Amino acid sequence: MTATAPLHVQTPMLESRDLSRVAGKEVFLKMECFQNAGSYKIRGIGLFCSRARDEGKSRLVASSAGNAGYAVAYAGNRLGMEVTVVVPETTSAEAKERIASEGARVEVFGAVWDDADAYGRKLAEASGAAYVHPFDHPTLWEGYRTIAREARTQMARPDAVVLSVGGGGMMCGVLEGLREVGWGDVPLVAVEPEGAASFGAALRSGHVVTLDRISTVATSLATRRVTAEAVAWAGRHDVRAVTVSDVQAVSACRRFADDHRVLVEPACGATLATLYDGHPALEGARSVMAVVCGGIGVSMARLAQWERDLGLLSAA
């Protein structure tokens, strides 16, 4: 059987005049929010699902807080595969509807993604389906290398790359890609919400740490622990782990919408906040590439609700 064509598309690299003025440096935006599946996730998940189909699998089971699940549903729809996505109770109704719109079965299990993950693994084992992890698999990282490959043809070498970290899958793949294209000395700024900073906790401890609890509106980054590969990368690359507050992330979403007419989730707003708020981790960088990871769990109404919940808008 011949290999399946990639399910992701090449995304534009935009020079942001607005962010460049605010940050005092050249800011380039890798617009992964323009992927057909709503986020960068389709790069790795599309590759994984395609290989599973080529190896004879007909069913897929995934666990997800939203974006990975939609990417699996999108891929399964186009590959003619049966898909079940297990999401935690924190996943929005809009995200569940979007996943189901691709023909996938959606099951809700557990308070956080880790609970959904354990249940999804059991479902996959019982049914003989391929289990699609949202961030911890070498094939996913291989897919995310393509972000760096495309960037190498779209801009000059940046002084820093900034991206959001939940489980660490995109970070691992982008770092692999930076090495591949000759940008292995470019620092990477890994951004987490304060209420789910499992990567930062792992770096301080020197090993993977499972957080006792997580609390953030950036639910796409709400994992209690990162992949061990992310921690390993921090030992062989200049990786700077930083945190931002939910207020900063949501404020950045609003400013980005005003500046660029594009809606993104707070998970993506975390990355943008480092530029809007001038985070010290980017000090000295004259040019920055930011991965605008996107996300399906956002709308004008939800953005306004986050702002009200965080005291950024009045309840009236």
Side-chain angles (χ1 to χ4, degrees):
M1 181 180 292
T2 59
T4 304
L7 296 176
H8 69 270
V9 299
Q10 178 168 316
T11 55
M13 180 78 73
L14 305 180
E15 182 180 3
S16 172
R17 304 305 299 163
D18 295 285
L19 265 169
S20 294
R21 282 191 291 269
V22 170
K25 54 184 91 263
E26 290 183 304
V27 176
F28 297 88
L29 305 174
K30 186 58 171 158
M31 299 294 285
E32 289 300 291
C33 52
F34 291 161
Q35 288 289 349
N36 288 334
S39 78
Y40 75 94
K41 289 282 190 181
I42 191 60
R43 291 182 183 268
I45 285 173
L47 180 62
F48 184 98
C49 295
S50 295
R51 287 184 177 171
R53 199 281 303 268
D54 293 344
E55 292 167 3
K57 292 290 187 179
S58 61
R59 294 188 297 277
L60 302 166
V61 173
S63 62
S64 170
N67 292 312
Y70 183 63
V72 176
Y74 176 92
N77 190 335
R78 280 140 190 83
L79 296 169
M81 304 177 77
E82 180 183 316
V83 177
T84 298
V85 179
V86 184
V87 300
E89 295 164 2
T90 52
T91 301
S92 69
E94 293 91 341
K96 288 183 283 190
E97 290 169 6
R98 184 69 64 88
I99 294 168
S101 74
E102 293 290 342
R105 177 183 178 186
V106 180
E107 294 197 28
V108 179
F109 187 90
V112 294
W113 168 79
D114 304 78
D115 301 330
D117 173 55
Y119 181 62
R121 290 176 185 274
K122 292 178 181 178
L123 286 182
E125 184 177 358
S127 65
Y131 182 70
V132 189
H133 196 284
F135 58 82
D136 195 5
H137 196 282
T139 300
L140 303 180
W141 311 333
E142 181 182 343
Y144 303 141
R145 289 183 207 167
T146 58
I147 295 174
R149 288 178 192 159
E150 289 177 16
R152 179 65 179 82
T153 69
Q154 295 171 317
M155 65 177 292
R157 176 193 178 280
D159 295 319
V161 172
V162 57
L163 52 75
S164 297
V165 173
M170 175 170 61
M171 187 191 88
C172 292
V174 168
L175 286 169
E176 288 181 4
L178 292 178
R179 293 289 179 93
E180 182 182 300
V181 303
W183 289 356
D185 58 341
V186 175
L188 185 138
V189 177
V191 192
E192 298 178 286
E194 291 173 350
S198 56
F199 179 57
L203 294 192
R204 290 190 296 274
S205 299
H207 55 81
V208 174
V209 172
T210 301
L211 301 180
D212 292 332
R213 63 185 297 271
I214 50 181
S215 177
T216 177
V217 299
T219 54
S220 294
L221 302 180
T223 55
R224 294 173 60 204
R225 61 185 180 276
V226 294
T227 173
E229 183 68 6
V231 182
W233 265 110
R236 55 184 185 254
H237 194 96
D238 182 357
V239 178
R240 304 167 187 179
V242 305
T243 60
V244 299
S245 68
D246 280 357
V247 167
Q248 287 177 294
V250 171
S251 296
C253 291
R254 171 62 68 181
R255 295 178 71 176
F256 192 71
D258 290 342
D259 289 343
H260 298 88
R261 285 75 59 196
V262 175
L263 283 177
V264 295
E265 288 185 10
C268 184
T271 281
L272 299 171
T274 64
L275 294 160
Y276 279 120
D277 297 339
H279 198 284
L282 293 171
E283 186 176 351
R286 293 169 298 176
S287 66
V288 175
M289 183 185 95
V291 181
V292 183
C293 51
I296 63 168
V298 63
S299 64
M300 289 297 293
R302 281 187 62 76
L303 177 55
Q305 186 61 57
W306 289 320
E307 290 175 309
R308 285 191 291 271
D309 291 345
L310 293 169
L312 296 170
L313 285 180
S314 66

PDB file of all heavy atoms in Angstrom, residues 63 71 90 102 108 125 145 170 182 185 198 201 209 211 234 243 260 281 303:
ATOM      1  N   SER A  63      -7.481  10.034  23.477  1.00  0.00           N
ATOM      2  CA  SER A  63      -7.896  10.840  24.627  1.00  0.00           C
ATOM      3  C   SER A  63      -7.418  12.261  24.370  1.00  0.00           C
ATOM      4  O   SER A  63      -6.366  12.475  23.775  1.00  0.00           O
ATOM      5  CB  SER A  63      -7.282  10.301  25.923  1.00  0.00           C
ATOM      6  OG  SER A  63      -5.871  10.361  25.871  1.00  0.00           O
ATOM      7  N   ALA A  71      -8.293  16.573  15.879  1.00  0.00           N
ATOM      8  CA  ALA A  71      -7.347  16.174  14.837  1.00  0.00           C
ATOM      9  C   ALA A  71      -7.501  14.695  14.494  1.00  0.00           C
ATOM     10  O   ALA A  71      -7.442  14.306  13.320  1.00  0.00           O
ATOM     11  CB  ALA A  71      -5.911  16.472  15.275  1.00  0.00           C
ATOM     12  N   THR A  90     -13.810  18.691  31.684  1.00  0.00           N
ATOM     13  CA  THR A  90     -13.490  20.095  31.452  1.00  0.00           C
ATOM     14  C   THR A  90     -13.608  20.505  29.985  1.00  0.00           C
ATOM     15  O   THR A  90     -13.572  21.696  29.676  1.00  0.00           O
ATOM     16  CB  THR A  90     -12.058  20.392  31.918  1.00  0.00           C
ATOM     17  OG1 THR A  90     -11.153  19.442  31.317  1.00  0.00           O
ATOM     18  CG2 THR A  90     -11.935  20.298  33.427  1.00  0.00           C
ATOM     19  N   GLU A 102     -17.205  15.416  12.909  1.00  0.00           N
ATOM     20  CA  GLU A 102     -16.375  14.649  11.972  1.00  0.00           C
ATOM     21  C   GLU A 102     -16.732  13.169  11.981  1.00  0.00           C
ATOM     22  O   GLU A 102     -16.033  12.348  11.385  1.00  0.00           O
ATOM     23  CB  GLU A 102     -14.895  14.831  12.295  1.00  0.00           C
ATOM     24  CG  GLU A 102     -14.367  16.242  12.059  1.00  0.00           C
ATOM     25  CD  GLU A 102     -14.280  16.596  10.579  1.00  0.00           C
ATOM     26  OE1 GLU A 102     -14.297  15.669   9.739  1.00  0.00           O
ATOM     27  OE2 GLU A 102     -14.198  17.796  10.265  1.00  0.00           O
ATOM     28  N   VAL A 108     -17.194  11.020  27.548  1.00  0.00           N
ATOM     29  CA  VAL A 108     -16.668  11.871  28.607  1.00  0.00           C
ATOM     30  C   VAL A 108     -16.299  10.997  29.799  1.00  0.00           C
ATOM     31  O   VAL A 108     -17.122  10.208  30.276  1.00  0.00           O
ATOM     32  CB  VAL A 108     -17.706  12.933  29.027  1.00  0.00           C
ATOM     33  CG1 VAL A 108     -17.144  13.801  30.152  1.00  0.00           C
ATOM     34  CG2 VAL A 108     -18.109  13.791  27.832  1.00  0.00           C
ATOM     35  N   GLU A 125      -7.369  -1.170  23.849  1.00  0.00           N
ATOM     36  CA  GLU A 125      -6.898  -2.545  24.039  1.00  0.00           C
ATOM     37  C   GLU A 125      -8.038  -3.537  23.848  1.00  0.00           C
ATOM     38  O   GLU A 125      -7.870  -4.589  23.212  1.00  0.00           O
ATOM     39  CB  GLU A 125      -6.290  -2.697  25.426  1.00  0.00           C
ATOM     40  CG  GLU A 125      -5.690  -4.065  25.688  1.00  0.00           C
ATOM     41  CD  GLU A 125      -5.024  -4.164  27.044  1.00  0.00           C
ATOM     42  OE1 GLU A 125      -4.997  -3.162  27.779  1.00  0.00           O
ATOM     43  OE2 GLU A 125      -4.522  -5.263  27.371  1.00  0.00           O
ATOM     44  N   ARG A 145       8.130  18.119  13.389  1.00  0.00           N
ATOM     45  CA  ARG A 145       9.364  18.631  12.787  1.00  0.00           C
ATOM     46  C   ARG A 145       9.060  19.527  11.592  1.00  0.00           C
ATOM     47  O   ARG A 145       9.834  20.434  11.270  1.00  0.00           O
ATOM     48  CB  ARG A 145      10.232  17.474  12.283  1.00  0.00           C
ATOM     49  CG  ARG A 145      10.899  16.625  13.311  1.00  0.00           C
ATOM     50  CD  ARG A 145      11.757  15.585  12.594  1.00  0.00           C
ATOM     51  NE  ARG A 145      11.947  14.385  13.357  1.00  0.00           N
ATOM     52  CZ  ARG A 145      12.426  13.243  12.875  1.00  0.00           C
ATOM     53  NH1 ARG A 145      12.759  13.174  11.580  1.00  0.00           N
ATOM     54  NH2 ARG A 145      12.569  12.183  13.640  1.00  0.00           N
ATOM     55  N   MET A 170       4.655  19.042  20.938  1.00  0.00           N
ATOM     56  CA  MET A 170       5.078  19.997  19.918  1.00  0.00           C
ATOM     57  C   MET A 170       6.500  20.468  20.189  1.00  0.00           C
ATOM     58  O   MET A 170       7.309  20.595  19.274  1.00  0.00           O
ATOM     59  CB  MET A 170       4.135  21.193  19.851  1.00  0.00           C
ATOM     60  CG  MET A 170       4.623  22.262  18.873  1.00  0.00           C
ATOM     61  SD  MET A 170       3.453  23.579  18.495  1.00  0.00           S
ATOM     62  CE  MET A 170       3.189  24.311  20.105  1.00  0.00           C
ATOM     63  N   GLY A 182      19.447  23.027  10.911  1.00  0.00           N
ATOM     64  CA  GLY A 182      20.644  23.808  11.207  1.00  0.00           C
ATOM     65  C   GLY A 182      20.423  24.962  12.162  1.00  0.00           C
ATOM     66  O   GLY A 182      21.280  25.843  12.283  1.00  0.00           O
ATOM     67  N   ASP A 185      21.094  25.887  17.593  1.00  0.00           N
ATOM     68  CA  ASP A 185      21.546  26.786  18.649  1.00  0.00           C
ATOM     69  C   ASP A 185      20.530  27.879  18.973  1.00  0.00           C
ATOM     70  O   ASP A 185      20.805  28.773  19.771  1.00  0.00           O
ATOM     71  CB  ASP A 185      22.874  27.436  18.254  1.00  0.00           C
ATOM     72  CG  ASP A 185      22.785  28.216  16.941  1.00  0.00           C
ATOM     73  OD1 ASP A 185      21.841  27.972  16.167  1.00  0.00           O
ATOM     74  OD2 ASP A 185      23.666  29.064  16.701  1.00  0.00           O
ATOM     75  N   SER A 198       3.632  21.792  34.631  1.00  0.00           N
ATOM     76  CA  SER A 198       4.283  20.512  34.909  1.00  0.00           C
ATOM     77  C   SER A 198       5.690  20.441  34.310  1.00  0.00           C
ATOM     78  O   SER A 198       6.551  19.739  34.838  1.00  0.00           O
ATOM     79  CB  SER A 198       3.429  19.359  34.391  1.00  0.00           C
ATOM     80  OG  SER A 198       3.155  19.488  33.012  1.00  0.00           O
ATOM     81  N   ALA A 201       8.022  22.316  36.672  1.00  0.00           N
ATOM     82  CA  ALA A 201       8.219  21.506  37.874  1.00  0.00           C
ATOM     83  C   ALA A 201       9.194  20.371  37.607  1.00  0.00           C
ATOM     84  O   ALA A 201      10.032  20.036  38.458  1.00  0.00           O
ATOM     85  CB  ALA A 201       6.877  20.953  38.355  1.00  0.00           C
ATOM     86  N   VAL A 209       7.466  15.144  36.810  1.00  0.00           N
ATOM     87  CA  VAL A 209       6.691  15.350  38.034  1.00  0.00           C
ATOM     88  C   VAL A 209       5.207  15.297  37.683  1.00  0.00           C
ATOM     89  O   VAL A 209       4.783  15.876  36.680  1.00  0.00           O
ATOM     90  CB  VAL A 209       7.028  16.716  38.676  1.00  0.00           C
ATOM     91  CG1 VAL A 209       6.083  17.020  39.821  1.00  0.00           C
ATOM     92  CG2 VAL A 209       8.474  16.742  39.147  1.00  0.00           C
ATOM     93  N   LEU A 211       1.757  16.647  38.794  1.00  0.00           N
ATOM     94  CA  LEU A 211       1.164  17.668  39.647  1.00  0.00           C
ATOM     95  C   LEU A 211      -0.026  17.103  40.420  1.00  0.00           C
ATOM     96  O   LEU A 211      -0.785  16.287  39.898  1.00  0.00           O
ATOM     97  CB  LEU A 211       0.702  18.856  38.804  1.00  0.00           C
ATOM     98  CG  LEU A 211       1.770  19.582  37.970  1.00  0.00           C
ATOM     99  CD1 LEU A 211       1.126  20.732  37.190  1.00  0.00           C
ATOM    100  CD2 LEU A 211       2.904  20.108  38.849  1.00  0.00           C
ATOM    101  N   ALA A 234      15.563  19.342  27.480  1.00  0.00           N
ATOM    102  CA  ALA A 234      16.040  20.489  28.255  1.00  0.00           C
ATOM    103  C   ALA A 234      17.488  20.307  28.693  1.00  0.00           C
ATOM    104  O   ALA A 234      18.170  21.284  29.007  1.00  0.00           O
ATOM    105  CB  ALA A 234      15.153  20.708  29.476  1.00  0.00           C
ATOM    106  N   THR A 243       6.297  30.811  32.862  1.00  0.00           N
ATOM    107  CA  THR A 243       4.858  30.712  33.109  1.00  0.00           C
ATOM    108  C   THR A 243       4.214  32.079  32.927  1.00  0.00           C
ATOM    109  O   THR A 243       4.856  33.119  33.107  1.00  0.00           O
ATOM    110  CB  THR A 243       4.548  30.206  34.528  1.00  0.00           C
ATOM    111  OG1 THR A 243       5.112  31.108  35.491  1.00  0.00           O
ATOM    112  CG2 THR A 243       5.101  28.815  34.734  1.00  0.00           C
ATOM    113  N   HIS A 260      -5.008  41.208  14.822  1.00  0.00           N
ATOM    114  CA  HIS A 260      -4.864  40.334  13.650  1.00  0.00           C
ATOM    115  C   HIS A 260      -6.170  39.739  13.136  1.00  0.00           C
ATOM    116  O   HIS A 260      -6.164  38.982  12.173  1.00  0.00           O
ATOM    117  CB  HIS A 260      -3.881  39.194  13.973  1.00  0.00           C
ATOM    118  CG  HIS A 260      -2.512  39.673  14.298  1.00  0.00           C
ATOM    119  ND1 HIS A 260      -2.145  40.021  15.577  1.00  0.00           N
ATOM    120  CD2 HIS A 260      -1.419  39.897  13.517  1.00  0.00           C
ATOM    121  CE1 HIS A 260      -0.877  40.431  15.571  1.00  0.00           C
ATOM    122  NE2 HIS A 260      -0.416  40.360  14.343  1.00  0.00           N
ATOM    123  N   ALA A 281      12.543  36.373  29.359  1.00  0.00           N
ATOM    124  CA  ALA A 281      13.163  35.240  28.660  1.00  0.00           C
ATOM    125  C   ALA A 281      13.478  35.580  27.213  1.00  0.00           C
ATOM    126  O   ALA A 281      14.316  34.909  26.591  1.00  0.00           O
ATOM    127  CB  ALA A 281      12.239  34.021  28.714  1.00  0.00           C
ATOM    128  N   LEU A 303     -14.534  33.755  24.643  1.00  0.00           N
ATOM    129  CA  LEU A 303     -13.499  34.719  24.998  1.00  0.00           C
ATOM    130  C   LEU A 303     -14.065  35.756  25.967  1.00  0.00           C
ATOM    131  O   LEU A 303     -13.432  36.091  26.982  1.00  0.00           O
ATOM    132  CB  LEU A 303     -12.952  35.391  23.743  1.00  0.00           C
ATOM    133  CG  LEU A 303     -11.894  36.481  23.962  1.00  0.00           C
ATOM    134  CD1 LEU A 303     -10.721  35.953  24.773  1.00  0.00           C
ATOM    135  CD2 LEU A 303     -11.417  37.032  22.617  1.00  0.00           C
TER     136      LEU A 303
END
